[in-house]
């Protein structure tokens, strides 16, 4: 796949004058073709400055998000992901809902082999919430991977993340 073909249709990458939306908008997400689709490999995004709003109080909630996936044919373009995550800035939803919304949007967009989203939210009111969701393509080794990672995701040092 040529570079031109790979980046065809991307509207945000390399553009000056980026417009930042602070209202949830999944249409900001863009993809490009996976040039290495014959092998499994991990892509991991760390977003240490994620912000959303409490749907009850309207107060900001801050988190570090970890998004990891094994791509199939499509990959998410990182600038579009950044703008998409920024679009949660004025979105009011509970932590658990936000993590599931992000996972659902990325699964719909990418049809990945495997995907996981983990939110490590800063404490508010003396308690922190760390929702985790994963997905593995049904009836494949990725479904089994999802089951194993789900059971083990918070038990080993490799997955221990402390942003507090």
């Amino acid at each position: 796949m040529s570079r031109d073909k790979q980046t065809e249709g991307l509207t945000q990458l390399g553009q000056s004058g980026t417009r930042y939306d602070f209202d949830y908008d999944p249409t900001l997400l863009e993809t490009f073709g996976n040039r290495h689709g014959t092998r499994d490999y991990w892509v991991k995004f760390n977003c240490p400055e994620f912000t959303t709003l409490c749907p009850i109080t309207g107060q900001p909630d801050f988190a570090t998000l970890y998004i990891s996936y094994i791509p199939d044919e499509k990959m998410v373009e990182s600038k579009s992901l950044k703008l998409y995550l920024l679009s949660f800035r004025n979105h009011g939803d509970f932590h658990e809902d936000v993590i599931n919304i992000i996972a659902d949007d990325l699964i719909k967009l990418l049809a990945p082999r495997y995907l996981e989203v983990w939110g490590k939210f800063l404490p508010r009111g003396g308690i922190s919430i760390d929702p985790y969701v994963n997905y593995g393509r049904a009836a494949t080794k990725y479904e089994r991977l999802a089951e194993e990672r789900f059971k083990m995701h918070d038990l080993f040092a490799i997955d221990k993340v402390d942003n507090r």
Side-chain angles (χ1 to χ4, degrees):
M1 180 182 307
S2 72
R3 291 255 180 236
D4 292 341
K5 187 74 171 162
Q6 184 182 26
T7 59
E8 187 177 300
L10 297 179
T11 63
Q12 297 162 16
L13 184 62
Q15 299 300 313
S16 61
T18 300
R19 194 178 111 237
Y20 296 96
D21 287 325
F22 299 120
D23 294 307
Y24 168 69
D25 185 1
T27 66
L28 293 167
L29 290 166
E30 296 183 344
T31 64
F32 62 94
N34 179 6
R35 296 177 64 200
H36 307 283
T38 59
R39 87 170 51 108
D40 285 342
Y41 63 99
W42 289 94
V43 178
K44 183 173 184 180
F45 294 99
N46 302 317
C47 180
E49 300 175 340
F50 180 77
T51 308
T52 191
L53 298 177
C54 172
I56 306 300
T57 67
Q59 294 180 351
D61 289 316
F62 301 94
T64 297
L65 293 188
Y66 301 92
I67 300 168
S68 301
Y69 72 105
I70 300 172
D72 194 10
E73 294 178 16
K74 295 189 278 185
M75 300 181 68
V76 66
E77 192 280 311
S78 61
K79 183 175 181 181
S80 77
L81 179 64
K82 176 184 79 168
L83 295 172
Y84 164 76
L85 293 175
L86 201 64
S87 82
F88 281 87
R89 177 69 178 89
N90 290 332
H91 179 76
D93 244 325
F94 293 113
H95 302 356
E96 301 87 348
D97 295 324
V98 168
I99 297 307
N100 278 281
I101 290 167
I102 292 168
D104 288 345
D105 288 345
L106 290 173
I107 291 165
K108 180 179 177 184
L109 177 77
L110 301 172
R113 297 171 186 171
Y114 176 85
L115 179 127
E116 62 188 29
V117 181
W118 192 358
K120 304 285 281 184
F121 284 84
L122 292 175
R124 219 160 33 84
I127 191 167
S128 62
I129 301 173
D130 296 345
Y132 171 87
V133 63
N134 73 2
Y135 157 85
R137 186 174 293 154
T140 69
K141 66 181 182 181
Y142 309 105
E143 183 177 48
R144 293 185 300 280
L145 173 64
E147 292 168 0
E148 289 304 310
R149 292 220 17 127
F150 189 82
K151 288 189 285 188
M152 308 298 275
H153 91 276
D154 206 14
L155 298 179
F156 299 104
I158 194 168
D159 285 336
K160 292 287 186 203
V161 178
D162 188 9
N163 66 337
R164 294 180 275 280

